[in-house]
Amino acid sequence: MKLTTVLALALATPGSALVRFHCSQLVVERLDPLVNPGMVPSAHVHQIVGGNAFNATMDPKADLPAESTCTSCQFEDDFSNYWTAVLYFKSRNGTYKRVPQLGNNQFEKANGGLTIYYMQDPIYESKQTSKVKAFQPGFRMFTGSVTARTLPEALPFRQLTYVCMDSWTQRSPETIAFPTRKCKSGIMTSIRFPTCWDGKNLDSPDHIAHMSYPETGTFESGGPCPTTHPVRVAQVMYEVIWDTTVFKDEEWPVDGSSPFVWSFGDGTGYANHGDYLFGWKGDALQKILDANCHFMTNCSKETGLKLQSIDAMNRCMQRPKVEEDVNGWLNALPGGYHAEYGHA
Ligand SMILES: *[C@@H]1O[C@H](CO)[C@@H](O)[C@H](O)[C@H]1NC(C)=O
Ligand SMILES: *[C@@H]1O[C@H](CO)[C@@H](O)[C@H](O)[C@H]1NC(C)=O
Ligand SMILES: *[C@@H]1O[C@H](CO)[C@@H](O)[C@H](O)[C@H]1NC(C)=O
């Protein structure tokens, strides 16, 4: 109940967003330099945005701004990579089709991808006054549990949610399982990364342990960081819009169950997850975090950082390194996965 209230509050004023910018699709393929480094193909399909130095192997010491020739993100200096799994629709006859993605509210012309927020205070605080230190080169993190198939398993990551959108700008209520009904304007997933850092490690073996959610409450409710992870960092949040409206009535399951499946087989929605690999040039992110940014144009003025056009973002694409069909009607998900609906 409390969580719902907090989340509803947090999303009541999406318009007051501070640093909220879009990144178009860079590539959709089975690569994962964080969890499956060097594996071509990696376990499951991802949609990746950001700098075009993205590869199967990415050395934490690499200079991403120097190695990239373009970024699909709006800030010209952001060569980070941001990625999530992709959603598939399981048709009545058992075959799978990738759910198309859309730009977001105010980024309608973007070719899919995701919207990124960086904030130092909750999104509904229009004055972002807290000082937070930007991430450093080599910083990476992961959030979510790929094996979660039940509510208790998903609760540690309850800040990863779905909105069944009946209108383009609807942002609540949020659920942590897949919506089961037809959503008139599609489904939005939100991925909120942890905001407490151990202050030492740029990464950890599971890519999670160096970070923590607040000890109690949430970032939005001002929850304190645990003593093990005392350094409060910016909240990184992704929004991804899935165009679930393209599927015909006769393709939906007859029994009213959810047809949606993550690319690694999760049919419950509990295993939503996200990956982050820092790659901003110089102190660009710190400038943003120190500025009085409200919306994008204002943020550019405040920081002197350049924004590129949506057309330029859309042009920054990578050719997939893994050649396989990820878009057709498929008998199995790439990697051989099938929809699974939790364990007893
Ligand atoms: C990309 O990763 C592959 C596999 O690890 C490696 O062979 C290749 O050299 C990398 N490409 C670049 C441009 O670094
Ligand atoms: C399954 O359904 C989809 C969507 O209606 C259709 O395009 C595809 O050809 C069907 N496949 C088989 C094997 O029946
Ligand atoms: C940006 O917006 C904030 C809040 O409205 C305002 O205080 C600041 O002066 C604006 N900056 C510029 C350069 O317009």
Coordinates of all heavy atoms in Angstrom, one line a residue, residues 209-263:
A209 N 26.3 -6.4 -6.2 CA 26.7 -6.3 -4.7 C 27.4 -4.9 -4.4 O 27.4 -4.6 -3.2 CB 27.7 -7.4 -4.4
H210 N 28.0 -4.2 -5.3 CA 28.6 -2.9 -5.0 C 27.6 -1.8 -4.8 O 27.9 -0.7 -4.4 CB 29.7 -2.5 -6.0 CG 29.2 -2.4 -7.4 ND1 28.4 -3.4 -8.0 CD2 29.3 -1.4 -8.3 CE1 28.1 -3.0 -9.3 NE2 28.7 -1.8 -9.5
M211 N 26.3 -2.2 -5.1 CA 25.2 -1.2 -5.0 C 24.1 -1.7 -4.1 O 24.1 -3.0 -3.9 CB 24.6 -1.0 -6.4 CG 25.6 -0.4 -7.5 SD 26.1 1.3 -7.0 CE 24.6 2.2 -7.2
S212 N 23.3 -0.8 -3.6 CA 22.2 -1.3 -2.8 C 21.0 -0.3 -2.9 O 21.2 0.9 -3.1 CB 22.6 -1.3 -1.3 OG 21.5 -1.5 -0.4
Y213 N 19.8 -0.8 -2.8 CA 18.7 0.1 -2.6 C 18.7 0.6 -1.2 O 19.4 0.0 -0.3 CB 17.4 -0.7 -2.9 CG 17.1 -0.9 -4.3 CD1 17.4 -2.2 -4.9 CD2 16.6 0.1 -5.2 CE1 17.2 -2.4 -6.3 CE2 16.4 -0.1 -6.5 CZ 16.7 -1.4 -7.1 OH 16.5 -1.6 -8.4
P214 N 18.0 1.7 -0.9 CA 18.0 2.2 0.5 C 17.6 1.1 1.5 O 16.9 0.2 1.1 CB 17.0 3.3 0.5 CG 17.0 3.8 -1.0 CD 17.2 2.6 -1.8
E215 N 18.2 1.3 2.7 CA 18.0 0.3 3.7 C 16.5 0.1 4.1 O 16.0 -1.0 4.2 CB 18.7 0.7 5.0 CG 18.8 -0.3 6.1 CD 19.8 0.3 7.1 OE1 19.8 1.5 7.3 OE2 20.5 -0.5 7.7
T216 N 15.8 1.2 4.2 CA 14.3 1.1 4.4 C 13.7 2.1 3.4 O 14.4 3.0 2.9 CB 13.9 1.6 5.8 OG1 14.5 2.9 6.0 CG2 14.4 0.6 6.8
G217 N 12.4 1.9 3.1 CA 11.8 2.7 2.1 C 12.4 2.7 0.8 O 12.9 1.7 0.3
T218 N 12.3 3.8 0.1 CA 12.8 3.9 -1.3 C 13.6 5.2 -1.5 O 13.6 6.0 -0.6 CB 11.6 3.9 -2.3 OG1 10.8 5.1 -2.0 CG2 10.8 2.6 -2.2
F219 N 14.2 5.3 -2.6 CA 14.8 6.6 -3.0 C 13.8 7.7 -2.9 O 14.0 8.8 -2.4 CB 15.4 6.4 -4.4 CG 16.0 7.7 -5.0 CD1 17.2 8.1 -4.6 CD2 15.3 8.4 -5.9 CE1 17.8 9.3 -5.1 CE2 15.8 9.6 -6.4 CZ 17.1 10.0 -6.0
E220 N 12.6 7.4 -3.4 CA 11.5 8.4 -3.5 C 11.1 8.9 -2.1 O 10.8 10.0 -1.9 CB 10.3 7.9 -4.2 CG 10.5 7.9 -5.7 CD 11.2 6.7 -6.3 OE1 11.6 5.8 -5.4 OE2 11.5 6.7 -7.5
S221 N 11.1 7.9 -1.1 CA 10.7 8.3 0.2 C 11.8 8.7 1.1 O 11.7 8.9 2.3 CB 10.0 7.1 0.9 OG 10.9 6.0 1.1
G222 N 13.0 8.9 0.5 CA 14.2 9.4 1.2 C 14.8 8.4 2.1 O 15.4 8.7 3.1
G223 N 14.6 7.1 1.8 CA 15.1 6.0 2.6 C 16.7 6.2 2.8 O 17.3 6.5 1.8
P224 N 17.2 5.9 4.0 CA 18.6 6.0 4.2 C 19.4 4.9 3.5 O 19.0 3.8 3.4 CB 18.8 5.9 5.7 CG 17.6 5.1 6.2 CD 16.5 5.4 5.2
C225 N 20.7 5.2 3.1 CA 21.6 4.2 2.6 C 22.1 3.3 3.8 O 22.3 3.8 4.9 CB 22.7 4.8 1.9 SG 22.3 5.5 0.3
P226 N 22.3 2.0 3.5 CA 22.8 1.1 4.6 C 24.3 1.5 4.8 O 25.0 2.1 4.0 CB 22.7 -0.3 4.0 CG 22.6 -0.1 2.6 CD 22.0 1.3 2.3
T227 N 24.8 1.1 6.0 CA 26.2 1.5 6.3 C 27.2 0.8 5.4 O 28.3 1.3 5.2 CB 26.6 1.1 7.8 OG1 26.2 -0.3 8.0 CG2 25.8 2.0 8.8
T228 N 26.8 -0.3 4.8 CA 27.7 -1.1 3.9 C 27.8 -0.3 2.6 O 28.8 -0.5 1.8 CB 27.1 -2.4 3.6 OG1 25.7 -2.3 3.3 CG2 27.2 -3.4 4.8
H229 N 26.8 0.5 2.3 CA 26.8 1.2 1.0 C 26.4 2.7 1.3 O 25.3 3.1 1.0 CB 25.7 0.6 0.0 CG 26.1 -0.8 -0.4 ND1 25.9 -1.9 0.5 CD2 26.6 -1.3 -1.5 CE1 26.3 -3.0 -0.2 NE2 26.7 -2.7 -1.4
P230 N 27.3 3.4 1.9 CA 26.9 4.7 2.5 C 26.8 5.9 1.5 O 26.3 6.9 1.8 CB 28.1 5.0 3.5 CG 29.3 4.2 2.9 CD 28.7 3.1 2.2
V231 N 27.3 5.7 0.2 CA 27.4 6.8 -0.7 C 26.2 6.9 -1.6 O 25.9 6.0 -2.4 CB 28.7 6.7 -1.6 CG1 28.8 8.0 -2.5 CG2 29.9 6.6 -0.7
R232 N 25.5 8.0 -1.4 CA 24.2 8.2 -2.2 C 24.6 8.7 -3.6 O 25.4 9.6 -3.7 CB 23.4 9.2 -1.5 CG 21.9 9.2 -1.9 CD 21.1 10.1 -0.9 NE 19.8 10.4 -1.4 CZ 19.6 11.4 -2.3 NH1 20.6 12.2 -2.6 NH2 18.4 11.7 -2.7
V233 N 24.2 8.0 -4.6 CA 24.5 8.4 -6.0 C 23.2 8.7 -6.7 O 22.1 8.6 -6.2 CB 25.2 7.2 -6.8 CG1 26.5 6.9 -6.2 CG2 24.3 6.0 -6.8
A234 N 23.3 9.2 -8.0 CA 22.1 9.6 -8.7 C 21.2 8.4 -9.0 O 21.7 7.3 -9.1 CB 22.5 10.2 -10.0
Q235 N 19.9 8.7 -9.0 CA 19.0 7.6 -9.4 C 19.0 7.6 -11.0 O 18.8 8.6 -11.6 CB 17.6 7.9 -9.0 CG 16.5 7.1 -9.7 CD 15.9 6.0 -8.8 OE1 15.0 6.2 -8.1 NE2 16.5 4.8 -8.8
V236 N 19.4 6.4 -11.5 CA 19.3 6.2 -12.9 C 18.0 5.4 -13.1 O 17.7 4.4 -12.5 CB 20.5 5.3 -13.4 CG1 20.4 5.0 -14.9 CG2 21.8 6.0 -13.1
M237 N 17.2 5.9 -14.1 CA 16.0 5.2 -14.3 C 15.8 5.1 -15.9 O 16.1 6.0 -16.6 CB 14.8 6.0 -13.7 CG 13.4 5.5 -14.0 SD 12.2 6.3 -13.0 CE 11.2 7.0 -14.2
Y238 N 15.3 3.9 -16.3 CA 14.9 3.7 -17.7 C 13.4 3.6 -17.9 O 12.7 3.0 -17.0 CB 15.4 2.4 -18.3 CG 16.9 2.1 -18.2 CD1 17.4 0.8 -18.5 CD2 17.8 3.1 -17.9 CE1 18.7 0.5 -18.4 CE2 19.2 2.7 -17.8 CZ 19.6 1.5 -18.1 OH 21.0 1.1 -18.0
E239 N 12.9 4.1 -19.0 CA 11.5 3.9 -19.3 C 11.6 3.3 -20.8 O 12.2 3.8 -21.6 CB 10.7 5.2 -19.4 CG 10.3 5.7 -18.0 CD 9.6 7.0 -18.1 OE1 9.5 7.7 -19.2 OE2 9.0 7.4 -17.1
V240 N 10.8 2.2 -20.9 CA 10.8 1.5 -22.2 C 9.3 1.3 -22.6 O 8.5 0.9 -21.8 CB 11.5 0.1 -22.2 CG1 11.6 -0.4 -23.6 CG2 12.8 0.2 -21.5
I241 N 9.0 1.7 -23.9 CA 7.6 1.6 -24.3 C 7.5 0.5 -25.3 O 8.1 0.5 -26.4 CB 7.2 3.0 -25.0 CG1 7.5 4.2 -24.2 CG2 5.7 2.9 -25.4 CD1 6.6 4.5 -23.0
W242 N 6.6 -0.4 -25.0 CA 6.4 -1.6 -25.9 C 5.0 -1.4 -26.6 O 4.0 -1.3 -25.9 CB 6.4 -2.9 -25.0 CG 7.6 -3.0 -24.2 CD1 7.7 -2.6 -22.9 CD2 8.9 -3.5 -24.6 NE1 9.0 -2.9 -22.4 CE2 9.8 -3.4 -23.4 CE3 9.4 -4.0 -25.8 CZ2 11.1 -3.8 -23.5 CZ3 10.7 -4.4 -25.8 CH2 11.6 -4.3 -24.7
D243 N 5.1 -1.5 -27.9 CA 3.8 -1.3 -28.7 C 3.1 -2.7 -28.8 O 3.2 -3.4 -29.8 CB 4.1 -0.8 -30.0 CG 2.9 -0.4 -30.8 OD1 1.8 -0.5 -30.2 OD2 3.0 0.0 -32.0
T244 N 2.3 -2.9 -27.7 CA 1.6 -4.2 -27.7 C 0.3 -4.2 -28.5 O -0.5 -5.1 -28.5 CB 1.3 -4.6 -26.2 OG1 0.5 -3.4 -25.6 CG2 2.5 -4.8 -25.4
T245 N 0.0 -3.0 -29.1 CA -1.3 -2.8 -29.8 C -1.3 -3.4 -31.2 O -2.3 -3.5 -31.8 CB -1.6 -1.3 -29.9 OG1 -0.6 -0.7 -30.8 CG2 -1.6 -0.6 -28.6
V246 N -0.1 -3.9 -31.7 CA 0.0 -4.3 -33.0 C -0.5 -5.8 -33.2 O -0.7 -6.2 -34.3 CB 1.5 -4.3 -33.6 CG1 2.0 -2.9 -33.6 CG2 2.4 -5.2 -32.8
F247 N -0.8 -6.5 -32.1 CA -1.2 -7.9 -32.2 C -2.7 -7.9 -32.3 O -3.4 -7.2 -31.6 CB -0.7 -8.7 -31.0 CG 0.8 -8.6 -31.0 CD1 1.5 -7.8 -30.1 CD2 1.6 -9.4 -31.9 CE1 2.9 -7.7 -30.1 CE2 3.0 -9.3 -31.9 CZ 3.6 -8.4 -31.0
K248 N -3.1 -8.8 -33.2 CA -4.6 -8.9 -33.5 C -5.3 -9.7 -32.4 O -4.7 -10.6 -31.8 CB -4.8 -9.6 -34.9 CG -4.1 -8.9 -36.0 CD -4.5 -9.5 -37.3 CE -3.7 -9.1 -38.5 NZ -2.4 -9.9 -38.6
D249 N -6.6 -9.4 -32.3 CA -7.4 -10.1 -31.3 C -7.2 -11.6 -31.4 O -7.1 -12.3 -30.4 CB -8.9 -9.8 -31.4 CG -9.1 -8.4 -30.9 OD1 -8.2 -7.8 -30.2 OD2 -10.2 -7.8 -31.1
E250 N -7.2 -12.1 -32.7 CA -7.2 -13.6 -32.8 C -5.8 -14.2 -32.5 O -5.7 -15.4 -32.6 CB -7.7 -14.0 -34.2 CG -6.9 -13.4 -35.4 CD -7.4 -12.0 -35.9 OE1 -8.0 -11.3 -35.1 OE2 -7.1 -11.7 -37.0
E251 N -4.8 -13.3 -32.3 CA -3.5 -13.9 -31.9 C -3.4 -14.0 -30.3 O -2.5 -14.6 -29.8 CB -2.4 -13.0 -32.4 CG -2.3 -13.0 -33.9 CD -1.5 -11.9 -34.6 OE1 -1.0 -11.0 -33.8 OE2 -1.3 -11.9 -35.8
W252 N -4.2 -13.3 -29.6 CA -4.2 -13.3 -28.1 C -4.6 -14.6 -27.6 O -5.5 -15.3 -28.2 CB -5.0 -12.2 -27.6 CG -4.3 -10.8 -27.6 CD1 -4.1 -10.1 -28.8 CD2 -3.8 -10.1 -26.5 NE1 -3.4 -9.0 -28.4 CE2 -3.2 -8.9 -27.1 CE3 -3.8 -10.3 -25.2 CZ2 -2.6 -7.9 -26.3 CZ3 -3.2 -9.3 -24.4 CH2 -2.6 -8.1 -24.9
P253 N -4.1 -15.0 -26.4 CA -4.5 -16.3 -25.8 C -6.0 -16.3 -25.5 O -6.6 -15.3 -25.2 CB -3.8 -16.3 -24.5 CG -2.7 -15.3 -24.5 CD -3.1 -14.3 -25.6
V254 N -6.7 -17.5 -25.7 CA -8.1 -17.6 -25.5 C -8.5 -17.5 -24.1 O -9.6 -17.0 -23.7 CB -8.6 -18.9 -26.0 CG1 -10.0 -18.8 -26.7 CG2 -7.6 -19.6 -27.0
D255 N -7.6 -17.9 -23.2 CA -8.0 -18.0 -21.8 C -7.7 -16.7 -21.0 O -7.9 -16.7 -19.8 CB -7.2 -19.2 -21.1 CG -5.7 -18.9 -21.1 OD1 -5.3 -17.9 -21.6 OD2 -5.0 -19.8 -20.5
G256 N -7.4 -15.6 -21.7 CA -7.2 -14.3 -21.0 C -5.9 -14.2 -20.3 O -5.6 -13.2 -19.6
S257 N -5.0 -15.2 -20.4 CA -3.7 -15.0 -19.8 C -2.8 -14.0 -20.5 O -3.1 -13.6 -21.6 CB -3.0 -16.4 -19.7 OG -2.8 -16.9 -21.0
S258 N -1.6 -13.7 -19.9 CA -0.7 -12.7 -20.5 C 0.1 -13.4 -21.6 O 0.6 -14.4 -21.4 CB 0.2 -12.1 -19.5 OG 1.3 -11.5 -20.1
P259 N 0.1 -12.8 -22.8 CA 0.9 -13.4 -23.9 C 2.4 -12.9 -23.9 O 3.1 -13.3 -24.7 CB 0.2 -12.8 -25.1 CG -0.3 -11.5 -24.7 CD -0.6 -11.6 -23.2
F260 N 2.8 -12.1 -22.9 CA 4.1 -11.5 -22.9 C 5.1 -12.4 -22.3 O 4.9 -13.0 -21.3 CB 4.1 -10.1 -22.4 CG 3.1 -9.2 -23.1 CD1 1.9 -8.8 -22.6 CD2 3.4 -8.9 -24.5 CE1 1.0 -8.1 -23.3 CE2 2.5 -8.2 -25.2 CZ 1.3 -7.8 -24.7
V261 N 6.3 -12.4 -22.9 CA 7.4 -13.3 -22.4 C 8.7 -12.5 -22.6 O 8.9 -11.9 -23.7 CB 7.5 -14.5 -23.3 CG1 8.6 -15.5 -22.7 CG2 6.2 -15.2 -23.4
W262 N 9.5 -12.4 -21.6 CA 10.8 -11.8 -21.7 C 11.7 -12.7 -22.6 O 11.4 -13.9 -22.7 CB 11.5 -11.5 -20.4 CG 11.0 -10.3 -19.7 CD1 10.4 -10.3 -18.4 CD2 11.2 -8.9 -20.1 NE1 10.2 -9.0 -18.1 CE2 10.6 -8.1 -19.1 CE3 11.7 -8.3 -21.3 CZ2 10.5 -6.7 -19.2 CZ3 11.6 -6.9 -21.3 CH2 11.0 -6.1 -20.3
S263 N 12.7 -12.1 -23.2 CA 13.5 -12.9 -24.2 C 14.2 -14.1 -23.6 O 14.7 -14.9 -24.4 CB 14.5 -11.9 -24.9 OG 15.2 -11.2 -23.9

